[in-house]
């Protein structure tokens, strides 16, 4: 999923999703994937 599509989906959520927590989770997953080699 592209960053643009993620932003669109978050806008559709209309406050049901904490954007800061969501971004933190994405960064965690990205960073974890980088270190697991």
């Amino acid at each position: 999923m592209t960053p643009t599509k993620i932003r669109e989906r978050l806008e559709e959520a209309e406050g049901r999703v904490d954007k800061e927590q969501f971004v933190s989770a994405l960064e965690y997953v990205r960073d974890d994937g980088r270190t697991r080699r």
Side-chain angles (χ1 to χ4, degrees), residues 3-14:
T4 302
K5 194 66 169 173
I6 291 171
R7 284 187 197 96
E8 290 172 359
R9 293 283 176 93
L10 286 173
E11 291 302 319
E12 291 171 4
E14 297 176 357

Side-chain angles (χ1 to χ4, degrees), residues 2-33:
T2 65
T4 302
K5 194 66 169 173
I6 291 171
R7 284 187 197 96
E8 290 172 359
R9 293 283 176 93
L10 286 173
E11 291 302 319
E12 291 171 4
E14 297 176 357
R16 292 177 294 190
V17 175
D18 183 333
K19 291 180 185 179
E20 291 303 314
Q21 283 187 330
F22 188 80
V23 170
S24 291
L26 288 177
E27 290 173 341
Y28 174 81
V29 170
R30 179 196 65 195
D31 293 343
D32 188 51

